[in-house]
Amino acid sequence: MRSVRPLRSVRPLRSVSSLRALSPVSRRTLGTGLIVCSLAATLLALLIPVYLFGGAGTAAASARTAWTDDGEGTLQTPSGPLTALDRDFVRRVRLAGLWEKPSGKLALERGTTDAVKMAGEHLVDGHTELDQRSADTARALGVSLPDRPSAEQQGWLDQLQASHGATFDRLFANLVRTAHGKVFGLVALVRDRTGNALVRALATRANTVVLDHITVLENTGLVDFPHPGDNEKK
């Protein structure tokens, strides 16, 4: 059987007195090396989280907030640069009103509770205002606007028009709340990124109105939670 070699003894660290015995140049060199190593370790500790997670927030935000690039690039206007994101936002504000205002009117007519009727009233008032603001902004910036709901939005309207009573109340609360959840992320994205003063003003007001609508819809007590907001759809 092979004999086991004894472990080598670990060389002890230099004592303080031995360090003092070093020449001043050696001590300065050693001190500089320690400082450099310390700074390098600190920098590495800071960079590792950025490397691992730095892009995660941006990627997640992009995944949740869908918008359409019209391919026209960035245009210069008197109120600042106008990007594809800016133009898409102005159009989406208009699109929202094309189906949510009629939905609000249906809620005023068919809602079976005061909370549903109140939500309908807020939708009508809020989108009447935002429609005008989006039209004014589009006119000033030369942005074309849609004049009818998208096929998906028209499908939601058709569902609401075909329902009555308590079924209508719950369908209304959840369909419109889902739509507002989608646009809320876009409003925040535009408000953060836009360099155009007119678009920023529209986003600022839209943020207030959309949050108000989300609140009154949730106050109906009919919204299903956790709310399945599908932000991948455009």
Side-chain angles (χ1 to χ4, degrees):
M1 184 174 179
R2 183 180 298 179
S3 60
V4 179
R5 294 181 179 181
L7 295 176
R8 295 181 179 179
S9 60
V10 179
R11 181 179 297 177
L13 296 175
R14 291 186 176 184
S15 64
V16 175
S17 59
S18 63
L19 291 176
R20 289 175 179 172
L22 294 173
S23 67
V25 174
S26 298
R27 287 201 298 270
R28 284 197 299 271
T29 302
L30 179 60
T32 301
L34 290 174
I35 292 173
V36 170
C37 289
S38 177
L39 290 174
T42 302
L43 180 60
L44 183 62
L46 292 173
L47 289 178
I48 287 177
V50 174
Y51 173 77
L52 293 177
F53 307 110
T58 303
S62 298
R64 290 194 302 267
T65 307
W67 58 278
T68 302
D69 188 344
D70 60 11
E72 296 182 11
T74 299
L75 307 176
Q76 297 302 319
T77 75
S79 56
L82 182 70
T83 67
L85 173 62
D86 295 334
R87 292 188 294 273
D88 186 66
F89 170 69
V90 176
R91 293 178 180 126
R92 285 179 186 270
V93 172
R94 169 64 174 163
L95 268 175
L98 289 174
W99 88 275
E100 290 175 14
K101 187 159 66 171
S103 297
K105 291 179 179 178
L106 282 173
L108 285 170
E109 298 169 3
R110 301 185 185 183
T112 65
T113 69
D114 289 341
V116 170
K117 291 180 180 293
M118 178 179 290
E121 182 178 2
H122 278 237
L123 284 177
V124 172
D125 292 346
H127 283 291
T128 297
E129 176 191 347
L130 289 181
D131 278 354
Q132 186 61 55
R133 285 178 178 266
S134 64
D136 292 343
T137 302
R139 188 180 306 110
L141 297 174
V143 177
S144 61
L145 292 180
D147 57 4
R148 64 185 62 187
S150 68
E152 184 180 39
Q153 291 169 332
Q154 186 59 55
W156 296 334
L157 267 177
D158 292 343
Q159 291 181 57
L160 290 173
Q161 290 168 345
S163 62
H164 299 273
T167 300
F168 169 85
D169 291 346
R170 183 168 293 277
L171 186 62
F172 164 77
N174 282 281
L175 279 178
V176 184
R177 171 60 178 80
T178 298
H180 279 78
K182 294 176 186 178
V183 77
F184 201 39
L186 179 62
V187 173
L189 182 67
V190 173
R191 183 62 182 79
D192 175 59
R193 293 188 182 181
T194 187
N196 189 283
L198 293 179
V199 174
R200 188 181 304 112
L202 178 61
T204 298
R205 183 55 186 159
N207 183 75
T208 301
V209 172
V210 171
L211 181 57
D212 171 71
H213 290 177
I214 287 175
T215 302
V216 294
L217 287 163
E218 292 174 353
N219 286 345
T220 64
L222 300 173
V223 175
D224 298 325
F225 288 104
H227 198 70
D230 180 8
N231 295 298
E232 295 300 324
K233 292 182 179 179
K234 297 184 179 182

